[in-house]
Amino acid sequence: MIAGLSAVSGAHAETLRLLTWGGYAPDDVVSQFEKETGITVQVTTSNNEDMISKLRATGGSGFDLAQPSQDRITSAQADFDIYRPLDLAKLKTALFIPSMLEATKMNTALNGAVYGVPHVWGTDGLEVNTKTAPNV
């Protein structure tokens, strides 16, 4: 699964409003973030098309971060202007795998602005029992 994080409105000091896929903001991660920052997290789960609809209906407001699939960021931005570009100078980009950050920047850039950074990205493992599937 490949996903990006995109900014959608101004940050709120007391609450982070996150629009994301189910399972992408595990309770233990949210709890740790809240404990470390003092910021409450409000998670709204969704899918790509529903995220776009919610953000279109609110003019891109109502959430601080959205987590659509990377391939649904630039087309929605070009059509509906629902995201704000990310200020990469404010992120600890050294914490990202450089090749993944660069690929995500390329995939989520529009008119010179970057709208996503990698969040969940990797390979899926596959094991094959060659005794039962020798030609795989």
Side-chain angles (χ1 to χ4, degrees):
M1 175 65 65
I2 299 173
L5 289 174
S6 292
V8 290
S9 72
H12 297 288
E14 305 85 29
T15 303
L16 173 67
R17 300 163 304 165
L18 176 61
L19 182 60
T20 188
W21 290 80
Y24 276 33
D27 291 340
D28 57 337
V29 173
V30 170
S31 294
Q32 181 178 348
F33 178 86
E34 290 176 334
K35 182 180 177 183
E36 290 179 11
T37 65
I39 298 170
T40 301
V41 179
Q42 292 176 348
V43 177
T44 301
T45 58
S46 194
N47 60 50
N48 285 328
E49 300 313 313
D50 190 47
M51 283 182 205
I52 292 168
S53 295
K54 285 179 187 323
L55 295 171
R56 284 184 68 193
T58 63
S61 66
F63 300 95
D64 301 302
L65 289 175
Q67 196 171 6
S69 296
Q70 204 181 119
D71 63 346
R72 294 297 288 134
I73 294 174
T74 57
S75 60
Q77 179 61 15
D79 291 343
F80 310 118
D81 194 32
I82 56 176
Y83 302 119
R84 288 182 42 204
L86 295 171
D87 182 350
L88 298 178
K90 293 182 179 180
L91 299 178
K92 295 179 181 178
T93 56
L95 297 176
F96 293 95
I97 296 171
S99 61
M100 292 183 179
L101 178 59
E102 289 308 311
T104 305
K105 286 168 49 178
M106 285 179 28
N107 290 338
T108 65
L110 181 66
N111 300 324
V114 174
Y115 291 90
V117 293
H119 169 67
V120 177
W121 192 349
T123 58
D124 293 325
L126 177 64
E127 293 183 32
V128 176
N129 182 341
T130 56
K131 290 180 184 175
T132 59
N135 297 323
V136 173

